[in-house]
Amino acid sequence: MSIITRILDHSSSKPLHVAIQEKDVSITYEQLASDIRRVSNSMKLTVGVGEFVIIHASNSYEFILTYFSVHYTGAKAVIIASDSEKNYKEFVVNTVKPKLVVCDCKSYVNNIVQSNESNACLAQESEHADLMFTSGTTGEPKGVPLTHAQLTAATEHIVEQVGNTGNDVELLLMPLSHSFGMARMRSTLFVGGTLVIGYPLQRLKGVFKAIEEHSVTGFGIVPSAWSFITQMSKDMIAKYASRLRYIELGSAYLAPEEKRRLTEWFPDTNIVMHYGLTEVSRAIFTCFHTDDLEAIGKVSRGAKFIIIKEDGSKAEEGEEGEIAFLAPWMASEYYNNPLLTSKSYFEGYLLTGDLGKYQGEYLYLTGRLKEVINVGGKKVSPYQVEDVLNQCDGILESACIPFSDKNMGEVVQAYVVLEPENTAEFSEIVGNLKQYAAEHLPVHMRPQKFHKINSLPKTPLGKLQRLKLASM
């Protein structure tokens, strides 16, 4: 069953149940289904089955309506952020050659008149529903096509791990231009729950008000957004612990101490964190209350995986190598790029580019393959060095990249962001960092160069952009 079919079923089984709550406006499943048919009736006049529709994303009812109308029409949705760079937008348009581009969903929907014509849902499980493009922060964007069946399988997996039901009310804190936000939206509507939108995270008072007024029972969030909440309001969010049934985190690193703080603040909330890529969605999960907080996933909570060593053989327990996943919801190819597809899969498993190892029931992340620093033939994961530097007094966060060296090939250089109250001379800070690194790291892993910067370059969702460090 496709997600659009499931929504249509809800319109029959629970027609008056609220599907989307946008501030003070309530849209029932019956109204959502009716609006999808109305918009689809108009859309099919210009868009045929299997053709592309680009939609500029916004956290609005009209965007959600347009998205599902594309599926109802049997077309394929391509979602991009409205504030994407011009070159990125042009790349996507030139790649897919869309039949329709919807830049303003509100205007598009509001200009469609009611039609009495009845049309059937043309979504087919085996056909592509979405084409997601990676951000392209480390190269040309990659097109990831996903079928209706794959989206449904991914959604069922998420629902199983998160535990949301048709009785839940979810506050959407993620942008719908990102796969995390889209998956939370799909999961909520798939189970017949209520999705609350229109409360941007930057207006924290409004977020807390929404939790109270709409009896919110769960949400998804990225680590950088969680950090924003705690920095701006301390532990205020914890007062809602008794009403929150679930919290899903993902898309970036979260320190184990932050995970422990979450378990303390929300002792009875199902707190889970996913690890994955656009290609494989939530590949694997950990549960904060029961799992190893250093791990990125438990074997029984997601996709099958293998660890591939540098020589191409499969690693044994405890051995490091590249993580590769296999799952029913995984993309099986890249759009119009057979060469990239052939390089990215190993015996049907998707190569992630991440280094890891498994120990017992758990999978651990040890680094990023393309980010590994080769110091005299010894491989150094920047994550391990950063974890040490971040523990040094006065350091807010850090990032490491390679620096060319005529003797060693590469050495480690570190970029550090200081705590606001740290007013010491940088030469003194560097001395402390070198001493601390000498006490906690082997010689080849110790940074040889240090740079002070005001902030690390990151994507809007908090992912570090290491390539930009070299030009800073």
Short mmCIF file of all heavy atoms in Angstrom, two decimals, residues 265-328:
data_model
loop_
_atom_site.label_atom_id
_atom_site.label_comp_id
_atom_site.label_asym_id
_atom_site.label_seq_id
_atom_site.Cartn_x
_atom_site.Cartn_y
_atom_site.Cartn_z
N TRP A 265 16.12 13.70 31.42
CA TRP A 265 15.00 14.65 31.32
C TRP A 265 13.70 13.97 30.91
O TRP A 265 12.62 14.43 31.27
CB TRP A 265 15.34 15.75 30.31
CG TRP A 265 16.34 16.74 30.81
CD1 TRP A 265 16.99 16.73 32.01
CD2 TRP A 265 16.80 17.91 30.11
NE1 TRP A 265 17.83 17.80 32.10
CE2 TRP A 265 17.75 18.55 30.95
CE3 TRP A 265 16.54 18.45 28.87
CZ2 TRP A 265 18.41 19.71 30.59
CZ3 TRP A 265 17.20 19.62 28.50
CH2 TRP A 265 18.12 20.25 29.35
N PHE A 266 13.82 12.89 30.11
CA PHE A 266 12.63 12.21 29.60
C PHE A 266 12.69 10.72 29.95
O PHE A 266 12.89 9.87 29.08
CB PHE A 266 12.53 12.39 28.08
CG PHE A 266 12.48 13.82 27.63
CD1 PHE A 266 13.64 14.50 27.26
CD2 PHE A 266 11.27 14.50 27.59
CE1 PHE A 266 13.59 15.82 26.85
CE2 PHE A 266 11.21 15.83 27.18
CZ PHE A 266 12.37 16.50 26.81
N PRO A 267 12.50 10.40 31.22
CA PRO A 267 12.67 9.01 31.67
C PRO A 267 11.67 8.02 31.09
O PRO A 267 11.96 6.82 31.02
CB PRO A 267 12.52 9.12 33.19
CG PRO A 267 11.71 10.36 33.40
CD PRO A 267 12.14 11.29 32.32
N ASP A 268 10.50 8.49 30.68
CA ASP A 268 9.46 7.58 30.18
C ASP A 268 9.16 7.78 28.69
O ASP A 268 8.18 7.25 28.17
CB ASP A 268 8.17 7.77 31.00
CG ASP A 268 8.39 7.48 32.47
OD1 ASP A 268 9.01 6.45 32.77
OD2 ASP A 268 7.95 8.30 33.31
N THR A 269 9.99 8.56 28.01
CA THR A 269 9.80 8.85 26.58
C THR A 269 10.65 7.91 25.74
O THR A 269 11.82 7.67 26.08
CB THR A 269 10.17 10.31 26.27
OG1 THR A 269 9.40 11.19 27.09
CG2 THR A 269 9.93 10.64 24.81
N ASN A 270 10.09 7.38 24.67
CA ASN A 270 10.87 6.55 23.75
C ASN A 270 11.76 7.46 22.92
O ASN A 270 11.29 8.12 21.99
CB ASN A 270 9.95 5.73 22.84
CG ASN A 270 10.74 4.80 21.93
OD1 ASN A 270 11.78 4.29 22.32
ND2 ASN A 270 10.26 4.60 20.71
N ILE A 271 13.03 7.53 23.27
CA ILE A 271 13.98 8.40 22.57
C ILE A 271 14.85 7.52 21.69
O ILE A 271 15.58 6.65 22.19
CB ILE A 271 14.86 9.19 23.55
CG1 ILE A 271 14.01 9.88 24.61
CG2 ILE A 271 15.70 10.21 22.79
CD1 ILE A 271 14.83 10.48 25.74
N VAL A 272 14.78 7.74 20.39
CA VAL A 272 15.56 6.94 19.45
C VAL A 272 16.35 7.86 18.54
O VAL A 272 16.00 9.03 18.33
CB VAL A 272 14.67 6.01 18.59
CG1 VAL A 272 13.93 5.02 19.46
CG2 VAL A 272 13.68 6.83 17.75
N MET A 273 17.44 7.32 18.01
CA MET A 273 18.26 8.08 17.06
C MET A 273 18.58 7.18 15.89
O MET A 273 18.93 6.01 16.07
CB MET A 273 19.53 8.58 17.71
CG MET A 273 20.35 9.52 16.82
SD MET A 273 21.61 10.42 17.76
CE MET A 273 22.15 11.60 16.49
N HIS A 274 18.44 7.73 14.69
CA HIS A 274 18.73 6.94 13.50
C HIS A 274 20.07 7.31 12.90
O HIS A 274 20.58 8.41 13.10
CB HIS A 274 17.62 7.11 12.45
CG HIS A 274 17.57 8.48 11.85
ND1 HIS A 274 16.65 9.44 12.22
CD2 HIS A 274 18.34 9.08 10.89
CE1 HIS A 274 16.83 10.55 11.53
NE2 HIS A 274 17.85 10.35 10.71
N TYR A 275 20.62 6.37 12.17
CA TYR A 275 21.79 6.62 11.34
C TYR A 275 21.41 6.18 9.93
O TYR A 275 20.80 5.13 9.73
CB TYR A 275 23.00 5.80 11.80
CG TYR A 275 24.09 5.72 10.77
CD1 TYR A 275 25.01 6.74 10.60
CD2 TYR A 275 24.18 4.61 9.92
CE1 TYR A 275 26.00 6.66 9.63
CE2 TYR A 275 25.16 4.52 8.94
CZ TYR A 275 26.07 5.55 8.80
OH TYR A 275 27.03 5.48 7.82
N GLY A 276 21.76 6.98 8.94
CA GLY A 276 21.43 6.60 7.57
C GLY A 276 21.82 7.68 6.58
O GLY A 276 22.41 8.70 6.94
N LEU A 277 21.49 7.45 5.35
CA LEU A 277 21.74 8.38 4.26
C LEU A 277 20.43 8.60 3.52
O LEU A 277 19.45 7.89 3.74
CB LEU A 277 22.76 7.79 3.28
CG LEU A 277 24.07 7.25 3.88
CD1 LEU A 277 24.84 6.48 2.81
CD2 LEU A 277 24.91 8.38 4.41
N THR A 278 20.41 9.57 2.62
CA THR A 278 19.23 9.78 1.79
C THR A 278 18.88 8.49 1.06
O THR A 278 17.71 8.13 0.93
CB THR A 278 19.48 10.90 0.76
OG1 THR A 278 19.82 12.11 1.46
CG2 THR A 278 18.25 11.14 -0.10
N GLU A 279 19.89 7.76 0.62
CA GLU A 279 19.69 6.55 -0.16
C GLU A 279 19.05 5.42 0.63
O GLU A 279 18.40 4.54 0.06
CB GLU A 279 21.03 6.04 -0.72
CG GLU A 279 21.67 6.97 -1.73
CD GLU A 279 22.59 8.01 -1.10
OE1 GLU A 279 22.33 8.42 0.05
OE2 GLU A 279 23.54 8.43 -1.77
N VAL A 280 19.26 5.40 1.95
CA VAL A 280 18.78 4.27 2.75
C VAL A 280 17.97 4.74 3.96
O VAL A 280 17.70 3.98 4.87
CB VAL A 280 19.97 3.37 3.18
CG1 VAL A 280 20.86 4.05 4.20
CG2 VAL A 280 19.50 2.01 3.66
N SER A 281 17.56 6.00 3.94
CA SER A 281 16.70 6.56 4.98
C SER A 281 17.26 6.23 6.36
O SER A 281 18.45 6.38 6.60
CB SER A 281 15.27 6.04 4.82
OG SER A 281 14.39 6.66 5.73
N ARG A 282 16.38 5.79 7.27
CA ARG A 282 16.86 5.41 8.60
C ARG A 282 17.36 3.98 8.54
O ARG A 282 16.61 3.04 8.71
CB ARG A 282 15.71 5.49 9.61
CG ARG A 282 15.54 6.84 10.23
CD ARG A 282 14.98 7.84 9.29
NE ARG A 282 14.20 8.83 10.05
CZ ARG A 282 13.49 9.76 9.48
NH1 ARG A 282 13.47 9.85 8.18
NH2 ARG A 282 12.80 10.61 10.22
N ALA A 283 18.64 3.83 8.28
CA ALA A 283 19.18 2.49 8.10
C ALA A 283 19.08 1.67 9.38
O ALA A 283 18.72 0.50 9.37
CB ALA A 283 20.63 2.56 7.64
N ILE A 284 19.42 2.31 10.50
CA ILE A 284 19.52 1.56 11.76
C ILE A 284 19.28 2.52 12.93
O ILE A 284 19.54 3.71 12.83
CB ILE A 284 20.90 0.88 11.85
CG1 ILE A 284 20.92 -0.22 12.87
CG2 ILE A 284 22.01 1.89 12.05
CD1 ILE A 284 22.12 -1.15 12.74
N PHE A 285 18.75 1.99 14.04
CA PHE A 285 18.36 2.83 15.18
C PHE A 285 19.05 2.40 16.47
O PHE A 285 19.43 1.25 16.64
CB PHE A 285 16.85 2.72 15.42
CG PHE A 285 15.99 3.58 14.53
CD1 PHE A 285 15.64 3.16 13.26
CD2 PHE A 285 15.53 4.81 14.98
CE1 PHE A 285 14.83 3.95 12.45
CE2 PHE A 285 14.73 5.60 14.18
CZ PHE A 285 14.37 5.17 12.92
N THR A 286 19.16 3.36 17.39
CA THR A 286 19.48 3.06 18.78
C THR A 286 18.38 3.65 19.66
O THR A 286 17.76 4.66 19.31
CB THR A 286 20.83 3.67 19.23
OG1 THR A 286 20.84 5.08 18.91
CG2 THR A 286 21.99 2.98 18.57
N CYS A 287 18.16 3.02 20.79
CA CYS A 287 17.20 3.49 21.78
C CYS A 287 17.99 3.96 23.00
O CYS A 287 18.76 3.20 23.59
CB CYS A 287 16.24 2.37 22.18
SG CYS A 287 15.08 2.83 23.47
N PHE A 288 17.82 5.23 23.37
CA PHE A 288 18.66 5.82 24.40
C PHE A 288 18.52 5.15 25.76
O PHE A 288 19.46 5.10 26.53
CB PHE A 288 18.36 7.31 24.53
CG PHE A 288 18.89 8.16 23.40
CD1 PHE A 288 19.40 7.58 22.25
CD2 PHE A 288 18.88 9.54 23.47
CE1 PHE A 288 19.88 8.34 21.20
CE2 PHE A 288 19.36 10.33 22.44
CZ PHE A 288 19.86 9.72 21.30
N HIS A 289 17.34 4.65 26.06
CA HIS A 289 17.12 4.10 27.40
C HIS A 289 17.67 2.68 27.57
O HIS A 289 17.83 2.23 28.71
CB HIS A 289 15.62 4.11 27.72
CG HIS A 289 15.09 5.47 28.06
ND1 HIS A 289 15.51 6.18 29.15
CD2 HIS A 289 14.18 6.25 27.44
CE1 HIS A 289 14.87 7.35 29.20
NE2 HIS A 289 14.07 7.42 28.16
N THR A 290 17.93 1.99 26.47
CA THR A 290 18.35 0.58 26.60
C THR A 290 19.64 0.23 25.87
O THR A 290 20.24 -0.80 26.17
CB THR A 290 17.25 -0.35 26.07
OG1 THR A 290 16.98 -0.04 24.68
CG2 THR A 290 15.95 -0.18 26.87
N ASP A 291 20.10 1.06 24.94
CA ASP A 291 21.24 0.69 24.10
C ASP A 291 22.52 1.40 24.51
O ASP A 291 22.51 2.36 25.29
CB ASP A 291 20.94 1.01 22.63
CG ASP A 291 19.87 0.11 22.04
OD1 ASP A 291 19.68 -0.99 22.58
OD2 ASP A 291 19.24 0.50 21.05
N ASP A 292 23.62 0.93 23.95
CA ASP A 292 24.93 1.55 24.14
C ASP A 292 24.90 2.92 23.47
O ASP A 292 24.71 3.03 22.26
CB ASP A 292 26.01 0.66 23.51
CG ASP A 292 27.42 1.20 23.71
OD1 ASP A 292 27.57 2.34 24.18
OD2 ASP A 292 28.37 0.47 23.39
N LEU A 293 25.12 3.98 24.24
CA LEU A 293 25.02 5.34 23.72
C LEU A 293 26.20 5.73 22.84
O LEU A 293 26.16 6.78 22.19
CB LEU A 293 24.87 6.33 24.88
CG LEU A 293 23.61 6.16 25.74
CD1 LEU A 293 23.54 7.23 26.82
CD2 LEU A 293 22.35 6.21 24.86
N GLU A 294 27.24 4.91 22.80
CA GLU A 294 28.36 5.17 21.90
C GLU A 294 28.07 4.63 20.50
O GLU A 294 28.72 5.02 19.53
CB GLU A 294 29.63 4.51 22.44
CG GLU A 294 30.07 4.99 23.81
CD GLU A 294 30.74 6.35 23.77
OE1 GLU A 294 31.07 6.80 22.66
OE2 GLU A 294 30.93 6.95 24.84
N ALA A 295 27.11 3.71 20.40
CA ALA A 295 26.82 3.05 19.12
C ALA A 295 25.91 3.90 18.25
O ALA A 295 25.21 4.79 18.74
CB ALA A 295 26.17 1.70 19.39
N ILE A 296 25.91 3.61 16.95
CA ILE A 296 25.00 4.29 16.03
C ILE A 296 23.82 3.40 15.65
O ILE A 296 22.91 3.85 14.96
CB ILE A 296 25.71 4.77 14.74
CG1 ILE A 296 26.31 3.57 13.98
CG2 ILE A 296 26.77 5.80 15.08
CD1 ILE A 296 26.77 3.92 12.58
N GLY A 297 23.84 2.16 16.11
CA GLY A 297 22.72 1.29 15.79
C GLY A 297 22.87 -0.07 16.42
O GLY A 297 23.98 -0.52 16.74
N LYS A 298 21.73 -0.72 16.63
CA LYS A 298 21.71 -2.08 17.12
C LYS A 298 21.33 -3.00 15.97
O LYS A 298 20.45 -2.68 15.15
CB LYS A 298 20.70 -2.22 18.26
CG LYS A 298 20.79 -3.53 19.02
CD LYS A 298 19.87 -3.53 20.24
CE LYS A 298 20.03 -4.83 21.02
NZ LYS A 298 19.17 -4.87 22.21
N VAL A 299 21.99 -4.13 15.90
CA VAL A 299 21.83 -5.05 14.77
C VAL A 299 20.37 -5.37 14.49
O VAL A 299 19.94 -5.44 13.34
CB VAL A 299 22.62 -6.35 15.04
CG1 VAL A 299 22.34 -7.38 13.97
CG2 VAL A 299 24.11 -6.05 15.10
N SER A 300 19.57 -5.53 15.53
CA SER A 300 18.17 -5.94 15.35
C SER A 300 17.25 -4.77 15.02
O SER A 300 16.05 -4.97 14.84
CB SER A 300 17.67 -6.60 16.64
OG SER A 300 17.77 -5.70 17.74
N ARG A 301 17.79 -3.56 14.90
CA ARG A 301 16.93 -2.40 14.70
C ARG A 301 17.12 -1.76 13.33
O ARG A 301 17.26 -0.54 13.24
CB ARG A 301 17.18 -1.37 15.80
CG ARG A 301 16.71 -1.84 17.18
CD ARG A 301 16.36 -0.65 18.04
NE ARG A 301 15.77 -1.12 19.29
CZ ARG A 301 16.46 -1.25 20.42
NH1 ARG A 301 17.73 -0.95 20.46
NH2 ARG A 301 15.85 -1.68 21.51
N GLY A 302 17.12 -2.54 12.28
CA GLY A 302 17.22 -1.90 10.99
C GLY A 302 17.73 -2.78 9.88
O GLY A 302 17.51 -3.99 9.85
N ALA A 303 18.44 -2.15 8.96
CA ALA A 303 18.92 -2.81 7.76
C ALA A 303 20.03 -3.81 8.07
O ALA A 303 20.70 -3.72 9.09
CB ALA A 303 19.43 -1.75 6.77
N LYS A 304 20.23 -4.74 7.14
CA LYS A 304 21.38 -5.63 7.22
C LYS A 304 22.62 -4.81 6.85
O LYS A 304 22.55 -3.89 6.02
CB LYS A 304 21.22 -6.78 6.23
CG LYS A 304 20.11 -7.74 6.56
CD LYS A 304 19.86 -8.71 5.42
CE LYS A 304 21.10 -9.51 5.06
NZ LYS A 304 20.83 -10.46 3.94
N PHE A 305 23.75 -5.12 7.47
CA PHE A 305 24.96 -4.40 7.12
C PHE A 305 26.17 -5.33 7.12
O PHE A 305 26.16 -6.39 7.75
CB PHE A 305 25.20 -3.22 8.07
CG PHE A 305 25.54 -3.62 9.48
CD1 PHE A 305 26.84 -3.92 9.85
CD2 PHE A 305 24.55 -3.67 10.45
CE1 PHE A 305 27.16 -4.29 11.14
CE2 PHE A 305 24.85 -4.03 11.75
CZ PHE A 305 26.16 -4.34 12.10
N ILE A 306 27.19 -4.92 6.40
CA ILE A 306 28.49 -5.59 6.42
C ILE A 306 29.55 -4.51 6.53
O ILE A 306 29.31 -3.33 6.24
CB ILE A 306 28.73 -6.45 5.16
CG1 ILE A 306 28.57 -5.60 3.88
CG2 ILE A 306 27.82 -7.65 5.13
CD1 ILE A 306 28.91 -6.35 2.60
N ILE A 307 30.73 -4.90 6.98
CA ILE A 307 31.88 -4.01 7.06
C ILE A 307 32.90 -4.51 6.04
O ILE A 307 33.30 -5.68 6.07
CB ILE A 307 32.50 -4.00 8.46
CG1 ILE A 307 31.44 -3.68 9.53
CG2 ILE A 307 33.66 -3.02 8.53
CD1 ILE A 307 30.87 -2.30 9.44
N ILE A 308 33.31 -3.63 5.13
CA ILE A 308 34.21 -4.02 4.05
C ILE A 308 35.59 -3.42 4.28
O ILE A 308 35.72 -2.19 4.37
CB ILE A 308 33.66 -3.58 2.68
CG1 ILE A 308 32.25 -4.13 2.48
CG2 ILE A 308 34.58 -4.04 1.55
CD1 ILE A 308 31.54 -3.55 1.29
N LYS A 309 36.59 -4.27 4.36
CA LYS A 309 37.96 -3.80 4.61
C LYS A 309 38.57 -3.20 3.34
O LYS A 309 38.03 -3.30 2.25
CB LYS A 309 38.81 -4.96 5.13
CG LYS A 309 38.35 -5.48 6.49
CD LYS A 309 39.41 -6.35 7.16
CE LYS A 309 39.62 -7.65 6.41
NZ LYS A 309 40.56 -8.55 7.15
N GLU A 310 39.73 -2.58 3.53
CA GLU A 310 40.39 -1.88 2.43
C GLU A 310 40.71 -2.80 1.26
O GLU A 310 40.71 -2.39 0.10
CB GLU A 310 41.67 -1.22 2.95
CG GLU A 310 42.18 -0.09 2.08
CD GLU A 310 43.27 0.72 2.75
OE1 GLU A 310 43.65 0.38 3.89
OE2 GLU A 310 43.75 1.68 2.14
N ASP A 311 40.96 -4.09 1.55
CA ASP A 311 41.30 -5.03 0.48
C ASP A 311 40.07 -5.64 -0.18
O ASP A 311 40.19 -6.52 -1.04
CB ASP A 311 42.20 -6.15 1.02
CG ASP A 311 41.53 -6.98 2.12
OD1 ASP A 311 40.33 -6.75 2.41
OD2 ASP A 311 42.20 -7.85 2.69
N GLY A 312 38.87 -5.19 0.22
CA GLY A 312 37.64 -5.67 -0.39
C GLY A 312 37.02 -6.87 0.30
O GLY A 312 35.93 -7.31 -0.08
N SER A 313 37.69 -7.41 1.31
CA SER A 313 37.13 -8.54 2.04
C SER A 313 36.20 -8.05 3.15
O SER A 313 36.26 -6.88 3.56
CB SER A 313 38.25 -9.39 2.65
OG SER A 313 39.00 -8.64 3.60
N LYS A 314 35.35 -8.93 3.64
CA LYS A 314 34.42 -8.57 4.70
C LYS A 314 35.10 -8.68 6.05
O LYS A 314 35.76 -9.67 6.37
CB LYS A 314 33.19 -9.49 4.65
CG LYS A 314 32.39 -9.32 3.36
CD LYS A 314 31.22 -10.29 3.31
CE LYS A 314 30.49 -10.18 1.97
NZ LYS A 314 29.38 -11.15 1.86
N ALA A 315 34.91 -7.64 6.86
CA ALA A 315 35.57 -7.57 8.16
C ALA A 315 34.89 -8.49 9.17
O ALA A 315 33.68 -8.74 9.09
CB ALA A 315 35.56 -6.14 8.67
N GLU A 316 35.67 -8.95 10.10
CA GLU A 316 35.14 -9.72 11.23
C GLU A 316 34.80 -8.76 12.36
O GLU A 316 35.08 -7.55 12.29
CB GLU A 316 36.19 -10.74 11.70
CG GLU A 316 36.60 -11.76 10.65
CD GLU A 316 35.47 -12.69 10.26
OE1 GLU A 316 34.57 -12.92 11.10
OE2 GLU A 316 35.47 -13.18 9.11
N GLU A 317 34.21 -9.29 13.40
CA GLU A 317 33.84 -8.48 14.55
C GLU A 317 35.06 -7.74 15.10
O GLU A 317 36.13 -8.31 15.29
CB GLU A 317 33.24 -9.36 15.65
CG GLU A 317 32.76 -8.60 16.86
CD GLU A 317 32.04 -9.49 17.87
OE1 GLU A 317 31.81 -10.67 17.54
OE2 GLU A 317 31.71 -9.01 18.96
N GLY A 318 34.89 -6.43 15.32
CA GLY A 318 35.95 -5.61 15.88
C GLY A 318 36.89 -5.01 14.85
O GLY A 318 37.67 -4.11 15.17
N GLU A 319 36.84 -5.47 13.59
CA GLU A 319 37.71 -4.94 12.54
C GLU A 319 37.04 -3.74 11.88
O GLU A 319 35.84 -3.72 11.64
CB GLU A 319 38.01 -6.01 11.49
CG GLU A 319 38.85 -7.16 12.00
CD GLU A 319 39.19 -8.13 10.90
OE1 GLU A 319 38.32 -8.41 10.04
OE2 GLU A 319 40.33 -8.62 10.88
N GLU A 320 37.84 -2.73 11.54
CA GLU A 320 37.32 -1.51 10.93
C GLU A 320 37.26 -1.63 9.42
O GLU A 320 38.08 -2.30 8.78
CB GLU A 320 38.20 -0.31 11.31
CG GLU A 320 37.64 1.02 10.84
CD GLU A 320 38.55 2.19 11.17
OE1 GLU A 320 39.65 2.25 10.57
OE2 GLU A 320 38.18 3.03 12.00
N GLY A 321 36.26 -1.00 8.84
CA GLY A 321 36.12 -0.96 7.39
C GLY A 321 34.96 -0.06 7.01
O GLY A 321 34.39 0.63 7.86
N GLU A 322 34.61 -0.07 5.73
CA GLU A 322 33.51 0.78 5.26
C GLU A 322 32.18 0.10 5.54
O GLU A 322 31.99 -1.08 5.26
CB GLU A 322 33.65 1.06 3.77
CG GLU A 322 32.57 2.01 3.25
CD GLU A 322 32.77 2.42 1.81
OE1 GLU A 322 33.73 1.93 1.17
OE2 GLU A 322 31.96 3.24 1.31
N ILE A 323 31.23 0.87 6.06
CA ILE A 323 29.90 0.36 6.36
C ILE A 323 29.09 0.28 5.07
O ILE A 323 29.08 1.22 4.27
CB ILE A 323 29.17 1.26 7.37
CG1 ILE A 323 29.97 1.37 8.67
CG2 ILE A 323 27.77 0.72 7.67
CD1 ILE A 323 29.45 2.44 9.61
N ALA A 324 28.40 -0.84 4.87
CA ALA A 324 27.51 -1.00 3.71
C ALA A 324 26.19 -1.59 4.18
O ALA A 324 26.16 -2.47 5.04
CB ALA A 324 28.15 -1.90 2.66
N PHE A 325 25.07 -1.09 3.62
CA PHE A 325 23.74 -1.49 4.06
C PHE A 325 22.94 -2.13 2.94
O PHE A 325 23.14 -1.85 1.75
CB PHE A 325 22.95 -0.28 4.57
CG PHE A 325 23.35 0.18 5.94
CD1 PHE A 325 24.01 1.38 6.11
CD2 PHE A 325 23.05 -0.58 7.06
CE1 PHE A 325 24.38 1.81 7.37
CE2 PHE A 325 23.40 -0.16 8.33
CZ PHE A 325 24.07 1.04 8.49
N LEU A 326 21.98 -2.97 3.36
CA LEU A 326 21.01 -3.57 2.44
C LEU A 326 19.65 -3.56 3.13
O LEU A 326 19.51 -4.07 4.25
CB LEU A 326 21.41 -5.00 2.09
CG LEU A 326 20.47 -5.76 1.16
CD1 LEU A 326 20.42 -5.09 -0.22
CD2 LEU A 326 20.92 -7.21 1.01
N ALA A 327 18.65 -2.96 2.49
CA ALA A 327 17.32 -2.87 3.09
C ALA A 327 16.26 -2.79 2.00
O ALA A 327 16.54 -2.30 0.89
CB ALA A 327 17.22 -1.64 3.99
N PRO A 328 15.03 -3.25 2.28
CA PRO A 328 13.95 -3.19 1.28
C PRO A 328 13.61 -1.76 0.86
O PRO A 328 13.10 -1.56 -0.25
CB PRO A 328 12.76 -3.84 2.01
CG PRO A 328 13.36 -4.64 3.12
CD PRO A 328 14.60 -3.91 3.53
#
